[in-house]
Amino acid sequence: MTAPCDRYEREALLLLEEGRPLDEHFATCPECLAARAAHERLRAALLTPIDAAPRAGWEAGVLSAIDRAPARRSPWARRAPWMAGAMAAAAAVSLVVIRTRPLDDALALDAAVMPGDAAQVRGAGTHVGDLLQLHARARGRFAELRVYRNDRELVMRCAPPQSSGADFKCTRDGSALAGELRLPSVGAFQAFVAASDKELPPPASTLGEDTERLIASGAKVALGPSVRVY
Amino acid sequence: MVSAARTLAAESAEAEAKAALSARDPRRAIAVLMRAYGTELFRFCREQLSDQEAAQDLLQVVFIQAFQSLDGYEPRSTLRAWLYGIARHRCLDAQKNRRRWARVVEPHHEAEGEPPDRPDAAPSGEEHLGARDLRAALEDCVQRLSATARETVLLRFRAELAYEEMAEACGEKIGTLRVRVARALPVLRKCLEEKEMSP
C-alpha cells in the first residue's frame, strides 16, 4: 500500500506563495486536488477578519495623550526652536504609565516613569536620573515593593516602616504602597510588590530566586513591567 | 488578493495622511491613520496576544508611538505596513512581559506558545458546525502556532500585506516569510481536522 501523496503541502504551497506555476501533477493527482481544495477553503477562512473591535472613543485617548505630552519625542518641535520651552514644560508632566495585570483585587502594581530633567529636550525612552514611580495595592499584614536591576541586583526595597534609601523613598497608607526610585544606571529594572499576612522572607539572591522564596512562603507577588534605561 | 474596497480605502487614507504630514500636521495624520487602520490593528494585536484588554491598551501605545516616530517614517512602504511594524514590536514586547510574568508568578503555567486566555475551543464535530464555529476553531488553531508563524500568518492573510510590506514590518527576508507561511498552512489544516473541522 502506497502512502498518500503529500506533494501539495510539501511543494505546491511554497510555489504558490512564490507566485510560481504548479506542474501538471497537481492538476491530476486526486490527493493533491483534495489538498488544494482544503487549502483554498482555509485561505478563505483566514481572510475573514475576526469579530472584534476596539472600544468606541479610543482615538480620543490617543489624541489626548498626544496633546498632553508632545515633548517626549520632538523632531517636529525641534524644527521650530521657539517650541523648545513649551516642550520642556510639557516633559515635566509627561508620564508613561504602564499598568500590570492584577493578580486579584488584593494585589496590583502600576509603574510610571517621570523624566528626570525637564529642562532637557531628549528623545523617547527612559534615561538615567528619570524617576520610576510605583503605586501598589497590597492587602496583607506585610507588604514590600522591590526593584531589581538586570534581574540580579536589588536596587530598592520598600518594607515600610523602613521607607527610604539613597535613591528611593516609599510610603504605606493602609493597602496603598507608593515608592519612587531615581533610576541610577542603565539596565533593565524590574519591580514587584509582595504581600502576605506572614513575615516576608528577606531578599537574598536574584529576582527569580527571591520571588520563588516569597511564593513558597505563601506570599502573593505581582510583577510590574520591565523598564529599560538607556 | 487584497480586497478592492480595502485597497481603495487604504489608498485614500495613505494620501490623506501623507498630505497632513506634508502640511506638518502630524496630529491630523495620526487621526486619519487611526480612523483607517485602528480596527484592523486592534484585531492584529488581539490575535497576537489573545487578550482583548491588552490589545486595547496596546492599540493606543501603537498610535502614540507612531505619532512620536512620524518624522522618521521613510516612504519605502505604506504607512499601513509601517504601523503594522510598530504593532508587531509592541506585541512582541507584551509577549515577552507575559512570559516573564508566567515564569515568575505563575510557575505552573508554561507561557511559551500557550496564551492565557485563548478563545474557547470549538464544539465537537457531532454538533452543528457553522461558519462561526469554523472561525472560532481557526482562531484557536492560529493561537496554537508558534509566535513567529502566527505573526506571519496574520500579516499575510488577516492584514493581507504584500510580502514586501511584511519584510519591512518584520525585518525578515521575503523568502523566509514565504517558507514560514507555506509551513504554517498545513499545521493549521491539521489542527482544524483534529477538531473535526475540515476547512
Side-chain angles (χ1 to χ4, degrees):
Chain A
M1 184 175 163
T2 55
C5 179
D6 62 354
R7 281 187 61 194
Y8 189 83
E9 291 198 338
R10 280 193 297 108
E11 299 172 27
L13 286 175
L14 182 56
L15 290 171
L16 289 170
E17 290 306 311
E18 291 171 341
R20 291 160 62 188
L22 303 184
D23 68 36
E24 197 170 322
H25 167 85
F26 297 107
T28 54
C29 168
E31 284 141 348
C32 288
L33 285 171
R36 179 176 190 161
H39 276 283
E40 283 179 1
R41 289 194 296 272
L42 174 60
R43 282 169 188 269
L46 281 169
L47 287 166
T48 306
I50 61 167
D51 186 16
R55 276 195 296 270
W58 67 274
E59 300 98 327
V62 174
L63 293 175
S64 171
I66 287 171
D67 292 341
R68 275 202 317 272
R72 288 295 293 184
R73 194 72 178 257
S74 58
W76 296 97
R78 276 207 291 272
R79 292 169 189 160
W82 57 268
M83 286 185 70
M87 286 165 44
V93 295
S94 69
L95 288 174
V96 178
V97 179
I98 314 157
R99 173 156 295 178
T100 65
R101 185 177 58 162
L103 276 183
D104 53 40
D105 286 344
L107 200 65
L109 176 60
D110 286 351
V113 177
M114 174 84 84
D117 184 356
Q120 183 185 356
V121 176
R122 339 162 287 185
T126 303
H127 302 265
V128 173
D130 283 359
L131 202 60
L132 176 64
Q133 297 183 324
L134 301 167
H135 295 277
R137 185 172 66 249
R139 290 188 196 140
R141 195 171 151 216
F142 298 92
E144 285 191 23
L145 277 171
R146 293 184 198 169
V147 180
Y148 289 72
R149 178 176 168 274
N150 294 337
D151 292 357
R152 291 188 300 274
E153 179 191 355
L154 181 71
V155 294
M156 171 174 149
R157 182 191 181 199
C158 287
Q162 178 212 330
S163 61
S164 64
D167 293 321
F168 67 89
K169 58 182 179 183
C170 326
T171 57
R172 181 175 185 182
D173 182 6
S175 64
L177 275 83
E180 280 189 355
L181 170 68
R182 184 73 61 186
L183 292 164
S185 57
V186 296
F189 290 80
Q190 177 67 59
F192 70 77
V193 59
S196 175
D197 286 328
K198 293 189 287 188
E199 196 161 348
L200 299 169
S205 180
T206 61
L207 169 78
E209 290 177 12
D210 285 351
T211 48
E212 281 176 17
R213 291 179 66 214
L214 285 161
I215 292 165
S217 76
K220 286 188 171 181
V221 176
L223 200 66
S226 180
V227 174
R228 180 159 287 280
V229 178
Y230 299 95
Chain B
M1 184 172 189
V2 180
S3 68
R6 177 180 272 183
T7 304
L8 275 175
E11 284 176 358
S12 168
E14 295 278 329
E16 194 178 345
K18 284 175 182 169
L21 287 177
S22 298
R24 295 205 171 175
D25 189 351
R27 190 181 186 281
R28 186 162 67 85
I30 282 294
V32 169
L33 295 173
M34 285 194 293
R35 191 174 66 236
Y37 305 132
T39 298
E40 64 178 87
L41 285 166
F42 171 78
R43 288 172 174 157
F44 174 74
C45 296
R46 162 73 179 71
E47 283 204 278
Q48 278 281 57
L49 302 175
S50 192
D51 185 327
Q52 186 94 357
E53 285 302 310
Q56 185 71 58
D57 292 344
L58 217 58
L59 182 64
Q60 302 207 7
V61 170
V62 166
F63 279 100
I64 290 169
Q65 186 185 341
F67 174 79
Q68 293 170 337
S69 310
L70 266 175
D71 65 294
Y73 167 70
E74 293 175 16
R76 282 174 302 188
S77 181
T78 58
L79 282 159
R80 179 169 174 262
W82 177 73
L83 286 170
Y84 269 101
I86 294 174
R88 171 186 173 267
H89 277 109
R90 297 290 71 79
C91 288
L92 287 173
D93 288 347
Q95 286 163 345
K96 278 183 203 161
N97 282 341
R98 189 155 64 189
R99 281 198 294 273
R100 176 190 284 266
W101 177 284
R103 200 169 55 240
V104 175
V105 181
E106 299 167 0
H108 301 300
H109 176 75
E110 286 298 328
E112 186 67 48
E114 292 285 335
D117 54 349
R118 168 184 296 168
D120 293 340
S124 80
E126 293 174 7
E127 299 173 43
H128 174 70
L129 305 176
R132 191 182 183 87
D133 299 317
L134 174 60
R135 282 205 300 271
L138 183 56
E139 205 178 326
D140 186 53
C141 289
V142 168
Q143 292 304 320
R144 289 171 189 266
L145 292 173
S146 71
T148 49
R150 179 170 60 244
E151 166 188 283
T152 313
V153 164
L154 292 176
L155 292 174
R156 175 72 176 137
F157 295 105
R158 301 286 207 219
E160 298 183 69
L161 291 188
Y163 273 110
E164 291 75 14
E165 293 176 312
M166 290 167 65
E168 185 177 334
C170 298
E172 301 266 17
K173 290 180 180 169
I174 288 174
T176 303
L177 296 168
R178 284 184 168 137
V179 169
R180 212 174 271 166
V181 167
R183 287 182 180 165
L185 290 174
V187 176
L188 288 174
R189 186 185 60 77
K190 286 188 183 81
C191 175
L192 287 174
E193 281 183 0
E194 282 167 12
K195 294 172 177 290
E196 301 180 34
M197 287 226 156
S198 179

